[in-house]
Amino acid sequence: PLSCRLYCEEEKDPKRRSCQTVLAEALDVVVRSFAPILPHLAEEVFQHLPYKKDSEGVFRTGWIRASSAWKKPGIEEAIEGACAMRDSFLGSISGKNALEYEVVIVIEPGLLFELMEALQAEETSSVSQLNEIMMASQTTLLSELPKDTPADANIITGTFLINLEGGDIREESSYKVIALPIAKAKCPRCRRYNSDSSSTPCPRCLKVIA
């Protein structure tokens, strides 16, 4: 998912820039954490960061300063819930290429559905955060099972316990995950199966190239 954001999105796209921001923040925390026991390595890393010019060094800029902006209520539960669904999806295809599938996630209206909507506002998407976590070519988020679901579809059912506000909000929700072979062709640029032809980039890549 990270490589798709970094190498497939347009250079200044918010998805790509946000990924770079997270990687930079993670590196900063790691370097400051091991600086007391590996001072020379930490200082060398800090001096070679391409986005920190004329830096005073790791030991003159203070300890780890975590911004409160990173603490968003519900985001941890949303990611953990999505990862649980991804595990169900990957388990249902038993080692096959996840990009050759589209995923249908069915969750009854409630808190879990709202958390997943925070990761994917559209009903169906190939570029949402939810789809990146699922590692599929396309993800569809629904509140009820589609009527056209194939009779032989392998429907995986699971549950996820949401724990918010220090335990004040607890809700166990069920979900269904359906893996369907995707009918589209592989995009020659991003390698996802979202193209009309194997010789033509997908709509997202065509937009970036243009």
Side-chain angles (χ1 to χ4, degrees):
L2 290 181
S3 61
C4 189
R5 280 194 183 196
L6 289 172
Y7 299 115
C8 296
E9 298 291 354
E10 194 271 327
E11 182 179 5
K12 296 183 179 180
D13 189 284
K15 293 189 184 73
R16 183 175 186 273
R17 296 305 303 272
S18 66
C19 179
Q20 290 177 309
T21 299
V22 170
L23 292 174
E25 185 75 10
L27 179 61
D28 185 84
V29 170
V30 169
V31 173
R32 292 182 192 276
S33 297
F34 68 63
I37 57 175
L38 295 170
H40 297 294
L41 176 60
E43 187 63 30
E44 184 175 2
V45 172
F46 216 74
Q47 293 298 331
H48 284 82
L49 295 177
Y51 47 85
K52 287 185 180 289
K53 302 298 182 182
D54 301 323
S55 172
E56 295 181 356
V58 67
F59 294 101
R60 294 179 180 271
T61 53
W63 187 235
I64 299 169
R65 296 183 296 273
S67 171
S68 59
W70 292 94
K71 187 63 177 177
K72 293 185 178 181
I75 192 66
E76 182 177 353
E77 286 73 18
I79 298 298
E80 289 179 351
C83 287
M85 296 174 199
R86 178 191 63 194
D87 292 344
S88 297
F89 160 58
L90 295 179
S92 71
I93 62 175
S94 61
K96 297 178 182 177
N97 184 2
L99 290 175
E100 296 179 359
Y101 290 84
E102 60 176 311
V103 183
V104 178
I105 299 174
V106 182
I107 309 171
E108 292 185 358
L111 187 52
L112 182 58
F113 187 87
E114 292 175 6
L115 290 175
M116 293 305 105
E117 279 190 316
L119 300 177
Q120 179 169 301
E122 309 88 350
E123 181 177 285
T124 299
S125 177
S126 60
V127 296
S128 68
Q129 295 180 70
L130 179 59
N131 188 65
E132 288 186 356
I133 294 172
M134 298 305 293
M135 300 169 61
S137 279
Q138 181 174 286
T139 297
T140 298
L141 178 62
L142 301 172
S143 59
E144 59 182 18
L145 200 66
K147 294 181 179 179
D148 59 351
T149 302
D152 59 346
N154 185 16
I155 302 177
I156 307 299
T157 302
T159 60
F160 181 74
L161 178 62
I162 300 170
N163 192 341
L164 293 172
E165 305 295 335
D168 291 339
I169 301 176
R170 291 172 62 87
E171 181 178 301
E172 186 173 49
S173 301
S174 62
Y175 61 83
K176 293 182 176 67
V177 175
I178 310 169
L180 300 173
I182 199 160
K184 296 184 179 180
K186 181 193 289 187
C187 171
R189 183 174 181 269
C190 71
R191 319 301 289 176
R192 290 186 175 180
Y193 290 76
N194 293 317
S195 180
D196 294 329
S197 167
S198 59
S199 60
T200 305
C202 66
R204 187 270 302 272
C205 287
L206 284 173
K207 182 178 179 181
V208 172
I209 293 172

